[in-house]
Amino acid sequence: MSISPALSVLDLVPVRTGQSSAQAVAASLALAARADELGFRRYWFAEHHNMPAVASTTPPVLSAAAAARTSRIRVGSGGVMLPNHSPLVVAEQFAALEALAPGRVDLGIGRAPGSDPVITQLLRMSGTTSDVERFPEHVRDITRLLGAEGATVQFTSGGTYDVHATPAADGAPEVWLLGSSDYSAQLAASFGLPYVFANHFSGEGLERALDLYRAQYQPSPRNPEPRTFLTANAIAAPTADEAEARALPQLRSMARLRTNQPMQPLETIEQAQATPVDGMAQTIIDAMRAKWFVGTGDEVAATLRAFAERWGVDEVMISPIAGSYEGEPLDAAPGRVRTLELLAGALG
């Protein structure tokens, strides 16, 4: 008998045509509250910048808002893009989140910038950032800063200075490494950290990354065994035809991104259906659609269950990317809510 995986949510806070940032955030926070009610394990916010269709620019702020509207589900980042930030600032933000929601905060850390080169330069001009080449060192710094003992700065003169992310920690967020490459898998293994493969992004290299992570894993006090789960783009609807229709806006948006077209807010389903795409975009759409989980609740649940069993994970984090019809409320996301409800019902 097959075992149903636990479900979690990855949210990019999508913004559709005619929707304000405030309305998009309101829709996502309502979705987080519903995920909490349905028994989902965790709810993570991504970090992206200067994208008209994505409002998840600040995972710590959004995580705090989600924590205030939920009572059980774990909240956090999927992930904080560490090169954009000072390690101490990240540690302080998530130590504060842990104080707000003790025992249910996750800090997912990634190495990619989550933006284009112009935004990366602006981040470096306007705030404290970290050197991407020192990523392993900074991950280690964050884990130490979050602990009750803190970290110690060693001066060249021989003196030391103690640093803590918060004055009196009695708990710490759970740190995860995120990635889609051999590098991230091997680094997570060497640090004894749990690891998430970003399968929703492309899915390429999944088998090798998991094999490397599991084979090279070095046990740590908090994580004596390797721990991993996978992400997946998913849409469930009452009918397969509706699910396919709700997939179209996001598919078209991703095709625009990958063909270097100007980005724009997500189309409504009616807009997406009314506007043809060229042959190159259609090829990209077809290739992406083949890797997404789209259909009725029972259909998507069955494929997610098989997916989890294939890769030996007990949890799948879905990115519920269902688009919206014209006339659906701007401060809600009925298609995304229905995806969670149908999958929770089908997977128990």
Side-chain angles (χ1 to χ4, degrees):
M1 179 179 178
S2 60
I3 299 174
S4 293
L7 292 179
S8 295
V9 178
L10 175 64
D11 194 352
L12 277 67
V13 192
V15 182
R16 71 181 191 264
T17 301
Q19 189 180 39
S20 68
S21 296
Q23 290 168 327
V25 169
S28 281
L29 294 178
L31 188 66
R34 188 65 180 129
D36 189 38
E37 295 169 349
L38 292 168
F40 281 67
R41 181 173 287 178
R42 60 187 97 238
Y43 199 103
W44 286 4
F45 293 96
E47 178 186 339
H48 293 284
H49 301 280
N50 200 42
M51 299 180 71
V54 176
S56 59
T57 56
T58 55
V61 173
L62 294 167
S63 297
R69 289 161 173 79
T70 57
S71 61
R72 180 206 53 79
I73 197 169
R74 298 186 66 87
V75 297
S77 59
V80 165
M81 299 294 102
L82 188 51
N84 298 338
H85 310 282
S86 157
L88 176 58
V89 170
V90 173
E92 288 181 330
Q93 289 171 338
F94 280 81
L97 277 171
E98 177 67 20
L100 288 170
R104 59 187 189 101
V105 175
D106 293 330
L107 168 53
I109 299 173
R111 185 170 177 264
S115 59
D116 58 57
V118 174
I119 296 301
T120 299
Q121 185 61 33
L122 289 174
L123 287 166
R124 291 187 178 278
M125 291 170 59
S126 61
T128 53
T129 58
S130 61
D131 183 352
V132 68
E133 299 304 323
R134 298 175 64 191
F135 180 74
E137 175 187 343
H138 291 155
V139 171
R140 187 182 294 110
D141 289 343
I142 286 173
T143 59
R144 290 173 177 169
L145 287 164
L146 287 169
E149 295 182 359
T152 300
V153 176
Q154 185 78 43
F155 297 127
T156 55
S157 61
T160 61
Y161 188 84
D162 293 335
V163 184
H164 296 80
T166 192
D170 57 2
E174 188 165 72
V175 178
W176 294 73
L177 279 192
L178 283 57
S180 57
S181 68
D182 295 355
Y183 175 88
S184 57
Q186 292 173 302
L187 185 63
S190 68
F191 282 177
L193 289 173
Y195 173 64
V196 181
F197 184 85
N199 180 73
H200 73 289
F201 185 70
S202 71
E204 300 299 327
L206 170 57
E207 182 170 10
R208 176 171 170 80
L210 291 188
D211 285 347
L212 286 170
Y213 174 66
R214 289 164 172 160
Q216 298 181 15
Y217 189 78
Q218 300 296 312
S220 61
R222 185 161 182 169
N223 300 286
E225 302 289 338
R227 296 174 58 204
T228 185
F229 64 79
L230 307 175
T231 60
N233 293 309
I235 300 173
T239 68
D241 285 345
E242 181 184 337
E244 295 293 345
R246 289 191 182 274
L248 194 54
Q250 187 65 244
L251 284 168
R252 286 166 56 89
S253 181
M254 291 301 298
R256 291 180 68 85
L257 178 65
R258 295 185 181 184
T259 54
N260 296 316
Q261 299 299 308
M263 299 305 296
Q264 60 188 33
L266 286 175
E267 299 167 308
T268 64
I269 293 167
E270 289 87 348
Q271 288 173 326
Q273 291 174 329
T275 310
V277 296
D278 61 28
M280 179 180 295
Q282 189 61 55
T283 299
I284 293 171
I285 286 172
D286 291 342
M288 287 190 296
R289 170 62 188 86
K291 297 180 180 180
W292 290 12
F293 297 78
V294 181
T296 66
D298 287 341
E299 290 169 347
V300 176
T303 53
L304 284 174
R305 186 181 292 113
F307 177 67
E309 290 177 351
R310 165 68 179 85
W311 299 109
V313 297
D314 68 354
E315 178 178 352
V316 176
M317 175 171 276
I318 64 167
S319 179
I321 49 175
S324 297
Y325 287 99
E326 293 176 7
E328 290 184 335
L330 291 172
D331 59 353
R336 297 206 293 152
V337 171
R338 194 67 177 136
T339 291
L340 301 196
E341 291 173 341
L342 289 170
L343 293 181
L347 289 171

Short mmCIF file of all heavy atoms in Angstrom, two decimals, residues 58-119:
data_model
loop_
_atom_site.label_atom_id
_atom_site.label_comp_id
_atom_site.label_asym_id
_atom_site.label_seq_id
_atom_site.Cartn_x
_atom_site.Cartn_y
_atom_site.Cartn_z
N THR A 58 10.34 39.92 -0.07
CA THR A 58 10.91 39.91 1.28
C THR A 58 10.33 38.76 2.11
O THR A 58 9.35 38.93 2.84
CB THR A 58 10.61 41.24 2.00
OG1 THR A 58 9.19 41.48 2.00
CG2 THR A 58 11.31 42.40 1.32
N PRO A 59 10.92 37.57 2.01
CA PRO A 59 10.39 36.42 2.76
C PRO A 59 10.24 36.64 4.27
O PRO A 59 9.25 36.19 4.84
CB PRO A 59 11.41 35.32 2.45
CG PRO A 59 11.96 35.68 1.12
CD PRO A 59 12.03 37.18 1.12
N PRO A 60 11.16 37.34 4.96
CA PRO A 60 10.96 37.50 6.41
C PRO A 60 9.69 38.29 6.75
O PRO A 60 8.98 37.94 7.69
CB PRO A 60 12.22 38.25 6.87
CG PRO A 60 13.24 37.99 5.82
CD PRO A 60 12.47 37.88 4.54
N VAL A 61 9.41 39.34 5.99
CA VAL A 61 8.22 40.15 6.25
C VAL A 61 6.95 39.32 5.99
O VAL A 61 6.01 39.30 6.81
CB VAL A 61 8.22 41.42 5.39
CG1 VAL A 61 6.90 42.18 5.53
CG2 VAL A 61 9.38 42.32 5.77
N LEU A 62 6.92 38.63 4.86
CA LEU A 62 5.75 37.82 4.52
C LEU A 62 5.59 36.66 5.50
O LEU A 62 4.46 36.31 5.87
CB LEU A 62 5.88 37.31 3.10
CG LEU A 62 5.84 38.40 2.01
CD1 LEU A 62 6.27 37.84 0.67
CD2 LEU A 62 4.45 39.01 1.91
N SER A 63 6.70 36.08 5.95
CA SER A 63 6.62 34.98 6.91
C SER A 63 6.05 35.46 8.24
O SER A 63 5.28 34.74 8.90
CB SER A 63 8.01 34.37 7.13
OG SER A 63 8.51 33.81 5.94
N ALA A 64 6.43 36.65 8.66
CA ALA A 64 5.89 37.20 9.91
C ALA A 64 4.39 37.40 9.80
O ALA A 64 3.63 37.09 10.73
CB ALA A 64 6.58 38.51 10.24
N ALA A 65 3.95 37.93 8.64
CA ALA A 65 2.52 38.13 8.44
C ALA A 65 1.77 36.81 8.42
O ALA A 65 0.68 36.68 9.00
CB ALA A 65 2.27 38.90 7.14
N ALA A 66 2.36 35.79 7.77
CA ALA A 66 1.72 34.47 7.74
C ALA A 66 1.69 33.84 9.11
O ALA A 66 0.71 33.19 9.49
CB ALA A 66 2.46 33.57 6.75
N ALA A 67 2.76 34.01 9.88
CA ALA A 67 2.79 33.45 11.24
C ALA A 67 1.68 34.04 12.09
O ALA A 67 1.08 33.34 12.92
CB ALA A 67 4.15 33.71 11.87
N ALA A 68 1.39 35.34 11.90
CA ALA A 68 0.36 35.99 12.69
C ALA A 68 -1.04 35.51 12.35
O ALA A 68 -1.97 35.66 13.14
CB ALA A 68 0.45 37.50 12.50
N ARG A 69 -1.20 34.92 11.16
CA ARG A 69 -2.51 34.47 10.71
C ARG A 69 -2.69 32.96 10.80
O ARG A 69 -3.69 32.42 10.33
CB ARG A 69 -2.75 34.93 9.27
CG ARG A 69 -2.97 36.44 9.16
CD ARG A 69 -2.76 36.92 7.73
NE ARG A 69 -3.11 38.32 7.56
CZ ARG A 69 -2.34 39.35 7.93
NH1 ARG A 69 -1.18 39.12 8.52
NH2 ARG A 69 -2.73 40.59 7.73
N THR A 70 -1.71 32.28 11.35
CA THR A 70 -1.75 30.82 11.45
C THR A 70 -1.38 30.40 12.87
O THR A 70 -0.87 31.20 13.65
CB THR A 70 -0.79 30.17 10.45
OG1 THR A 70 0.54 30.67 10.68
CG2 THR A 70 -1.19 30.47 9.01
N SER A 71 -1.61 29.12 13.17
CA SER A 71 -1.31 28.66 14.52
C SER A 71 -0.46 27.40 14.58
O SER A 71 0.16 27.12 15.61
CB SER A 71 -2.62 28.39 15.28
OG SER A 71 -3.38 27.39 14.61
N ARG A 72 -0.38 26.65 13.48
CA ARG A 72 0.28 25.35 13.52
C ARG A 72 1.35 25.18 12.46
O ARG A 72 2.43 24.66 12.71
CB ARG A 72 -0.79 24.25 13.36
CG ARG A 72 -0.28 22.82 13.37
CD ARG A 72 -1.21 21.91 12.60
NE ARG A 72 -1.49 22.38 11.25
CZ ARG A 72 -0.65 22.22 10.23
NH1 ARG A 72 0.49 21.59 10.39
NH2 ARG A 72 -0.96 22.70 9.03
N ILE A 73 1.06 25.61 11.24
CA ILE A 73 1.93 25.38 10.10
C ILE A 73 3.28 26.07 10.29
O ILE A 73 3.37 27.14 10.89
CB ILE A 73 1.23 25.87 8.81
CG1 ILE A 73 1.89 25.30 7.57
CG2 ILE A 73 1.18 27.40 8.75
CD1 ILE A 73 1.08 25.53 6.30
N ARG A 74 4.35 25.44 9.79
CA ARG A 74 5.66 26.06 9.80
C ARG A 74 5.72 27.12 8.70
O ARG A 74 5.16 26.93 7.61
CB ARG A 74 6.77 25.02 9.59
CG ARG A 74 6.84 23.96 10.69
CD ARG A 74 8.04 23.06 10.51
NE ARG A 74 9.28 23.77 10.71
CZ ARG A 74 9.88 23.96 11.89
NH1 ARG A 74 9.33 23.45 13.00
NH2 ARG A 74 11.01 24.63 11.98
N VAL A 75 6.39 28.23 8.97
CA VAL A 75 6.49 29.32 8.00
C VAL A 75 7.96 29.67 7.79
O VAL A 75 8.79 29.44 8.66
CB VAL A 75 5.72 30.58 8.46
CG1 VAL A 75 4.23 30.28 8.57
CG2 VAL A 75 6.26 31.10 9.79
N GLY A 76 8.26 30.20 6.61
CA GLY A 76 9.65 30.56 6.38
C GLY A 76 9.94 30.91 4.94
O GLY A 76 9.05 31.30 4.17
N SER A 77 11.20 30.74 4.57
CA SER A 77 11.69 31.22 3.28
C SER A 77 12.05 30.06 2.37
O SER A 77 12.61 29.05 2.80
CB SER A 77 12.94 32.08 3.48
OG SER A 77 13.96 31.34 4.13
N GLY A 78 11.73 30.23 1.12
CA GLY A 78 12.09 29.22 0.13
C GLY A 78 12.60 29.86 -1.15
O GLY A 78 12.00 29.68 -2.20
N GLY A 79 13.69 30.61 -1.10
CA GLY A 79 14.45 30.84 0.12
C GLY A 79 14.93 32.27 0.16
O GLY A 79 14.70 33.07 -0.74
N VAL A 80 15.67 32.56 1.22
CA VAL A 80 16.45 33.80 1.27
C VAL A 80 17.66 33.61 0.36
O VAL A 80 18.41 32.65 0.50
CB VAL A 80 16.91 34.10 2.70
CG1 VAL A 80 18.02 35.15 2.71
CG2 VAL A 80 15.74 34.59 3.53
N MET A 81 17.84 34.53 -0.59
CA MET A 81 18.98 34.45 -1.50
C MET A 81 20.17 35.15 -0.83
O MET A 81 20.29 36.38 -0.84
CB MET A 81 18.65 35.10 -2.84
CG MET A 81 17.49 34.42 -3.56
SD MET A 81 17.85 32.72 -4.09
CE MET A 81 16.99 31.77 -2.84
N LEU A 82 21.02 34.36 -0.21
CA LEU A 82 22.02 34.88 0.71
C LEU A 82 22.98 35.91 0.12
O LEU A 82 23.37 36.85 0.83
CB LEU A 82 22.80 33.71 1.33
CG LEU A 82 23.77 34.04 2.46
CD1 LEU A 82 23.09 34.87 3.54
CD2 LEU A 82 24.35 32.78 3.05
N PRO A 83 23.39 35.80 -1.16
CA PRO A 83 24.28 36.85 -1.67
C PRO A 83 23.69 38.26 -1.63
O PRO A 83 24.43 39.24 -1.71
CB PRO A 83 24.53 36.40 -3.12
CG PRO A 83 24.37 34.92 -3.09
CD PRO A 83 23.25 34.68 -2.11
N ASN A 84 22.36 38.36 -1.50
CA ASN A 84 21.72 39.67 -1.45
C ASN A 84 21.74 40.29 -0.05
O ASN A 84 21.29 41.43 0.12
CB ASN A 84 20.25 39.58 -1.88
CG ASN A 84 20.11 39.11 -3.31
OD1 ASN A 84 21.03 39.23 -4.11
ND2 ASN A 84 18.95 38.58 -3.65
N HIS A 85 22.23 39.56 0.96
CA HIS A 85 22.04 39.99 2.34
C HIS A 85 23.28 39.73 3.19
O HIS A 85 24.06 38.82 2.91
CB HIS A 85 20.86 39.25 2.97
CG HIS A 85 19.62 39.27 2.14
ND1 HIS A 85 18.78 40.36 2.08
CD2 HIS A 85 19.08 38.34 1.32
CE1 HIS A 85 17.77 40.09 1.26
NE2 HIS A 85 17.93 38.87 0.79
N SER A 86 23.41 40.50 4.24
CA SER A 86 24.42 40.23 5.26
C SER A 86 24.00 39.02 6.08
O SER A 86 22.84 38.92 6.51
CB SER A 86 24.56 41.44 6.18
OG SER A 86 25.10 41.08 7.42
N PRO A 87 24.90 38.08 6.35
CA PRO A 87 24.54 36.93 7.18
C PRO A 87 23.98 37.33 8.54
O PRO A 87 23.04 36.70 9.03
CB PRO A 87 25.87 36.17 7.32
CG PRO A 87 26.61 36.51 6.07
CD PRO A 87 26.27 37.94 5.78
N LEU A 88 24.52 38.36 9.17
CA LEU A 88 24.02 38.77 10.49
C LEU A 88 22.59 39.27 10.38
O LEU A 88 21.75 38.97 11.23
CB LEU A 88 24.92 39.85 11.09
CG LEU A 88 24.44 40.43 12.43
CD1 LEU A 88 24.29 39.34 13.49
CD2 LEU A 88 25.39 41.53 12.91
N VAL A 89 22.28 40.04 9.33
CA VAL A 89 20.91 40.54 9.15
C VAL A 89 19.94 39.38 8.97
O VAL A 89 18.85 39.36 9.56
CB VAL A 89 20.84 41.52 7.96
CG1 VAL A 89 19.39 41.85 7.62
CG2 VAL A 89 21.61 42.79 8.27
N VAL A 90 20.32 38.40 8.15
CA VAL A 90 19.45 37.23 7.96
C VAL A 90 19.23 36.51 9.28
O VAL A 90 18.10 36.15 9.64
CB VAL A 90 20.06 36.28 6.91
CG1 VAL A 90 19.26 34.98 6.83
CG2 VAL A 90 20.12 36.94 5.54
N ALA A 91 20.31 36.29 10.02
CA ALA A 91 20.19 35.60 11.30
C ALA A 91 19.29 36.37 12.26
O ALA A 91 18.45 35.78 12.95
CB ALA A 91 21.57 35.39 11.91
N GLU A 92 19.43 37.69 12.31
CA GLU A 92 18.60 38.49 13.22
C GLU A 92 17.13 38.46 12.80
O GLU A 92 16.23 38.35 13.65
CB GLU A 92 19.11 39.93 13.25
CG GLU A 92 20.42 40.09 14.00
CD GLU A 92 20.88 41.52 14.03
OE1 GLU A 92 20.58 42.29 13.09
OE2 GLU A 92 21.55 41.88 15.01
N GLN A 93 16.87 38.53 11.51
CA GLN A 93 15.48 38.50 11.04
C GLN A 93 14.81 37.18 11.43
O GLN A 93 13.67 37.17 11.91
CB GLN A 93 15.44 38.69 9.53
CG GLN A 93 15.79 40.09 9.07
CD GLN A 93 15.95 40.19 7.57
OE1 GLN A 93 16.21 39.20 6.89
NE2 GLN A 93 15.82 41.39 7.04
N PHE A 94 15.51 36.08 11.23
CA PHE A 94 14.88 34.79 11.49
C PHE A 94 14.91 34.41 12.97
O PHE A 94 14.05 33.65 13.43
CB PHE A 94 15.49 33.72 10.59
CG PHE A 94 14.90 33.76 9.21
CD1 PHE A 94 15.35 34.68 8.28
CD2 PHE A 94 13.84 32.93 8.86
CE1 PHE A 94 14.77 34.76 7.02
CE2 PHE A 94 13.26 32.99 7.60
CZ PHE A 94 13.73 33.91 6.68
N ALA A 95 15.83 34.98 13.73
CA ALA A 95 15.75 34.83 15.18
C ALA A 95 14.52 35.56 15.71
O ALA A 95 13.83 35.08 16.63
CB ALA A 95 17.02 35.37 15.84
N ALA A 96 14.23 36.73 15.14
CA ALA A 96 13.02 37.46 15.54
C ALA A 96 11.76 36.69 15.16
O ALA A 96 10.79 36.63 15.92
CB ALA A 96 13.00 38.85 14.90
N LEU A 97 11.77 36.07 13.97
CA LEU A 97 10.64 35.24 13.58
C LEU A 97 10.45 34.06 14.53
O LEU A 97 9.32 33.72 14.89
CB LEU A 97 10.85 34.72 12.15
CG LEU A 97 10.48 35.64 11.01
CD1 LEU A 97 10.96 35.05 9.68
CD2 LEU A 97 8.97 35.87 10.97
N GLU A 98 11.55 33.45 14.95
CA GLU A 98 11.47 32.34 15.89
C GLU A 98 10.86 32.79 17.21
O GLU A 98 10.11 32.05 17.84
CB GLU A 98 12.86 31.74 16.11
CG GLU A 98 12.92 30.61 17.12
CD GLU A 98 12.21 29.35 16.66
OE1 GLU A 98 11.98 29.17 15.45
OE2 GLU A 98 11.87 28.52 17.54
N ALA A 99 11.16 34.02 17.63
CA ALA A 99 10.56 34.55 18.85
C ALA A 99 9.07 34.81 18.67
O ALA A 99 8.28 34.67 19.61
CB ALA A 99 11.28 35.84 19.27
N LEU A 100 8.67 35.17 17.45
CA LEU A 100 7.25 35.41 17.17
C LEU A 100 6.46 34.12 17.06
O LEU A 100 5.29 34.07 17.47
CB LEU A 100 7.11 36.18 15.85
CG LEU A 100 7.51 37.65 15.83
CD1 LEU A 100 7.55 38.17 14.40
CD2 LEU A 100 6.54 38.48 16.68
N ALA A 101 7.07 33.10 16.50
CA ALA A 101 6.37 31.82 16.27
C ALA A 101 7.29 30.68 16.69
O ALA A 101 7.83 29.96 15.83
CB ALA A 101 5.97 31.69 14.81
N PRO A 102 7.50 30.50 17.98
CA PRO A 102 8.49 29.51 18.45
C PRO A 102 8.20 28.10 17.93
O PRO A 102 7.06 27.63 17.95
CB PRO A 102 8.33 29.57 19.98
CG PRO A 102 7.73 30.90 20.26
CD PRO A 102 6.84 31.20 19.09
N GLY A 103 9.26 27.46 17.44
CA GLY A 103 9.16 26.08 17.02
C GLY A 103 8.53 25.85 15.66
O GLY A 103 8.31 24.69 15.28
N ARG A 104 8.25 26.90 14.90
CA ARG A 104 7.66 26.67 13.59
C ARG A 104 8.19 27.60 12.50
O ARG A 104 7.47 28.01 11.60
CB ARG A 104 6.12 26.70 13.64
CG ARG A 104 5.46 27.97 14.13
CD ARG A 104 3.95 27.76 14.28
NE ARG A 104 3.22 29.00 14.54
CZ ARG A 104 2.55 29.69 13.63
NH1 ARG A 104 2.49 29.26 12.39
NH2 ARG A 104 1.91 30.79 13.95
N VAL A 105 9.49 27.89 12.58
CA VAL A 105 10.12 28.76 11.59
C VAL A 105 11.21 28.00 10.85
O VAL A 105 12.04 27.32 11.45
CB VAL A 105 10.72 30.01 12.25
CG1 VAL A 105 11.50 30.85 11.23
CG2 VAL A 105 9.62 30.86 12.89
N ASP A 106 11.20 28.11 9.52
CA ASP A 106 12.21 27.51 8.66
C ASP A 106 12.98 28.62 7.95
O ASP A 106 12.38 29.59 7.47
CB ASP A 106 11.56 26.63 7.58
CG ASP A 106 10.89 25.39 8.15
OD1 ASP A 106 11.36 24.89 9.19
OD2 ASP A 106 9.90 24.93 7.55
N LEU A 107 14.29 28.47 7.88
CA LEU A 107 15.13 29.37 7.10
C LEU A 107 15.73 28.59 5.95
O LEU A 107 16.70 27.86 6.10
CB LEU A 107 16.22 29.98 7.98
CG LEU A 107 17.36 30.73 7.27
CD1 LEU A 107 16.82 31.81 6.34
CD2 LEU A 107 18.32 31.32 8.30
N GLY A 108 15.11 28.72 4.77
CA GLY A 108 15.66 28.13 3.56
C GLY A 108 16.60 29.13 2.91
O GLY A 108 16.25 30.29 2.73
N ILE A 109 17.82 28.68 2.59
CA ILE A 109 18.85 29.57 2.06
C ILE A 109 19.25 29.11 0.66
O ILE A 109 19.49 27.91 0.43
CB ILE A 109 20.10 29.56 2.96
CG1 ILE A 109 19.74 30.05 4.37
CG2 ILE A 109 21.20 30.44 2.37
CD1 ILE A 109 20.89 29.93 5.36
N GLY A 110 19.34 30.06 -0.26
CA GLY A 110 19.78 29.77 -1.61
C GLY A 110 20.99 30.60 -2.00
O GLY A 110 21.26 31.64 -1.37
N ARG A 111 21.68 30.18 -3.04
CA ARG A 111 22.91 30.85 -3.48
C ARG A 111 22.67 31.74 -4.70
O ARG A 111 23.47 32.65 -4.97
CB ARG A 111 23.95 29.78 -3.83
CG ARG A 111 25.32 30.31 -4.21
CD ARG A 111 26.31 29.15 -4.29
NE ARG A 111 27.65 29.58 -4.72
CZ ARG A 111 28.10 29.54 -5.97
NH1 ARG A 111 27.31 29.06 -6.93
NH2 ARG A 111 29.32 29.94 -6.27
N ALA A 112 21.58 31.55 -5.42
CA ALA A 112 21.30 32.37 -6.60
C ALA A 112 20.85 33.76 -6.18
O ALA A 112 20.33 33.96 -5.08
CB ALA A 112 20.23 31.70 -7.45
N PRO A 113 20.99 34.77 -7.05
CA PRO A 113 20.59 36.13 -6.68
C PRO A 113 19.09 36.36 -6.70
O PRO A 113 18.59 37.27 -6.04
CB PRO A 113 21.29 37.00 -7.73
CG PRO A 113 21.44 36.10 -8.91
CD PRO A 113 21.68 34.72 -8.35
N GLY A 114 18.34 35.56 -7.47
CA GLY A 114 16.89 35.77 -7.54
C GLY A 114 16.51 37.02 -8.29
O GLY A 114 15.42 37.56 -8.10
N SER A 115 17.40 37.49 -9.15
CA SER A 115 17.14 38.73 -9.88
C SER A 115 18.13 38.83 -11.04
O SER A 115 18.97 37.96 -11.25
CB SER A 115 17.28 39.93 -8.95
OG SER A 115 18.59 39.97 -8.39
N ASP A 116 18.05 39.95 -11.76
CA ASP A 116 18.96 40.18 -12.87
C ASP A 116 20.18 40.98 -12.39
O ASP A 116 20.21 41.46 -11.26
CB ASP A 116 18.23 40.92 -14.00
CG ASP A 116 17.65 42.26 -13.55
OD1 ASP A 116 18.42 43.10 -13.05
OD2 ASP A 116 16.43 42.45 -13.69
N PRO A 117 21.21 41.12 -13.23
CA PRO A 117 22.43 41.82 -12.79
C PRO A 117 22.21 43.26 -12.33
O PRO A 117 22.91 43.74 -11.43
CB PRO A 117 23.33 41.76 -14.03
CG PRO A 117 22.87 40.55 -14.78
CD PRO A 117 21.39 40.50 -14.56
N VAL A 118 21.26 43.96 -12.93
CA VAL A 118 21.00 45.34 -12.52
C VAL A 118 20.48 45.37 -11.08
O VAL A 118 20.94 46.17 -10.25
CB VAL A 118 20.00 46.02 -13.48
CG1 VAL A 118 19.62 47.40 -12.96
CG2 VAL A 118 20.59 46.12 -14.87
N ILE A 119 19.51 44.50 -10.78
CA ILE A 119 18.96 44.47 -9.43
C ILE A 119 20.02 44.03 -8.43
O ILE A 119 20.11 44.55 -7.31
CB ILE A 119 17.74 43.53 -9.37
CG1 ILE A 119 16.62 44.08 -10.26
CG2 ILE A 119 17.25 43.37 -7.94
CD1 ILE A 119 16.15 45.46 -9.88
#
